[in-house]
Every structure is written in structure tokens, then in C-alpha cells.
Amino acid sequence: SDVPNTHLSEFILRYFEKHKGQTFITESTTGRSMTFDEVRDTSVKVAASFIDLPGLNLQDVVFGYSPNTISYACTIYGSILAGLTFTGCLYTLTKVDLAHQLIDSGAKIVFCVSKNISTLLQVLDECPKVKTFVILDGTKDEVEKVKQNTTPTINLKTFDEFTLKSHCNDKRVPRTTGLSIKDYICYLNYSSGSTGMPKGVKRSGWSLMAICVSLGPTGCYFGKSPNEITSCFQSLAHASGSFTLILTL
């Protein structure tokens, strides 16, 4: 089949709508679940929050530094719906490798978990482009405590605070104006760095739709029928994990 002549964001929204009401993602560690439409609504709110963030423009880079969670998945979908580029790393990455990837990718906003904020703060001086941190699992009290020990130029928020003023029916989402359907880079997946430091590998939204179309007729990439369960044990920051977010739709 031909690859649809549409943006990746429109492609994924079509499948969120098609399967609404059905359970989509379950966190194995907590048992928490969200349906397709709940993930869609949260992702749109994230996208709208990105669009409202000063200094964050089309195809700027969003950085993930977190284990796999539903909020992390919504962050990735939200970056695509806002016409941004997502990159990420293992949440166990130490400061030398973290600083390299933050600088190399040119990331402007980082999503992390509470246990990683101290490592992030250690590399701030090397990464002047990073202006905003969102703590996916942090409480308001925890964030206020961290703020007391950081420079006031850093915009630090909980995930709920970041999306508080956004709406799940924001008409600006998906943001596609000014983006090429074929050339939009949705992911910047980093290689393992076997011949030096890890290197960013650009992945277009068009290529992901092409993979979906080529595998779709076989019906056996993640299972032979709908409602089968896929275990996403790989990091959502890796190529295989990021593909899973699109292919399972």
C-alpha cells in the first residue's frame, strides 16, 4: 500500500479515535492504565503546553530522561502533535553522557523523574539551551524544594503544572503548518556510540508511517489480532521503544 499523504500527527490521531474506550497502556510497575482516548487527551494537552511555551519552535528538541511511564509516552506523543523532535536517553545515564547528548541534540526542555533531577542540575552550566524541566513524578512540594537550590532562570514544573492551563480539544493541535510531510523529523534516536560518543540518528515521521503500512498487511508484528498485549520492556527513548508507540496504535 502507499504511505498516506498526511502528517504523522494526523495519522496517529486517526487511530486514537478509532480505538477510543479501549485500554491502551498499562504500567507494569503500578498497574495504572489509560484508554486510547485518555492518552490522546493528555497528549493533546502536552502539545498545547509546548505551543504555549516561549522560545520553543517547530522542530525544536524535547528531551526525555525517564523510565517508561504513561506520562512519558504522552510527552512523546505530545511532541509529535506539536511538530517538535523528541530525543531521550536511558534514565540511568550519568552526567558525562547526559551532558553530551543534551548539548549535541540542542534540547530546550527536559522531562525527567525525581531521582534524576540532581544529575541534571550538575550539567546545567554546560547546557545553556535547556530552560525548562518537567518532573514527571514530582509533587508541587518537591519541586518547590528543588527550586530553592537552583538558579531562578530555570523553569521547573510538575507534569500537572505543565499541562494545567491546556485543553484536550485545543484547535492548534496537531500543529502541522510549516512542516513538510516527508521531511519532518519526529525522533532523534541516539546510537550506542560503539565508535565513539553516541550520535543522533534522524527519524522522519514519513518513515514511521511507511513501516506501519509495510507491516500492517502481515498482521503479525505485535500479534495477529487487536487487543493482544505487547510488552514494551525497551526504553521509549530507543528506536525500538519509539517505534512501539506508533506501531501498537
Side-chain angles (χ1 to χ4, degrees), residues 38-85:
E38 288 172 333
V39 172
R40 179 259 179 209
D41 289 353
T42 304
S43 301
V44 170
K45 290 179 69 176
V46 171
S49 300
F50 281 139
I51 293 171
D52 286 333
L53 195 65
L56 195 63
N57 305 309
L58 282 172
Q59 296 228 229
D60 277 348
V61 177
V62 175
F63 196 100
Y65 186 32
S66 168
N68 292 355
T69 65
I70 294 175
S71 297
Y72 191 31
C74 291
T75 296
I76 298 173
Y77 285 128
S79 70
I80 294 171
L81 294 175
L84 302 172
T85 298

Side-chain angles (χ1 to χ4, degrees), residues 124-214:
L124 270 184
D125 291 342
E126 301 174 62
C127 310
K129 284 189 176 181
V130 178
K131 300 298 183 184
T132 302
F133 293 139
V134 179
I135 305 180
L136 292 169
D137 62 345
T139 65
K140 191 170 184 179
D141 288 343
E142 289 172 336
V143 168
E144 290 302 321
K145 187 176 180 179
V146 173
K147 282 181 178 179
Q148 294 173 8
N149 300 310
T150 60
T151 170
T153 59
I154 295 299
N155 186 17
L156 193 65
K157 295 178 178 289
T158 66
F159 186 74
D160 288 341
E161 286 176 326
F162 182 68
T163 58
L164 182 63
K165 295 181 180 180
S166 300
H167 196 276
C168 62
N169 291 317
D170 195 304
K171 300 302 182 185
R172 300 171 299 170
V173 181
R175 181 169 62 168
T176 58
T177 302
L179 286 182
S180 165
I181 289 177
K182 292 190 176 182
D183 297 331
Y184 162 54
I185 303 301
C186 61
Y187 286 116
L188 187 62
N189 295 127
Y190 271 73
S191 67
S192 59
S194 55
T195 56
M197 295 297 282
K199 303 162 188 69
V201 181
K202 294 178 179 179
R203 172 66 67 177
S204 71
W206 179 262
S207 70
L208 278 181
M209 289 190 291
I211 292 172
C212 288
V213 169
S214 63

Side-chain angles (χ1 to χ4, degrees), residues 94-112:
T94 54
K95 63 180 183 179
V96 172
D97 293 315
L98 177 65
H100 163 72
Q101 192 169 329
L102 281 168
I103 296 166
D104 189 68
S105 67
K108 291 185 176 180
I109 179 171
V110 178
F111 287 77
C112 68

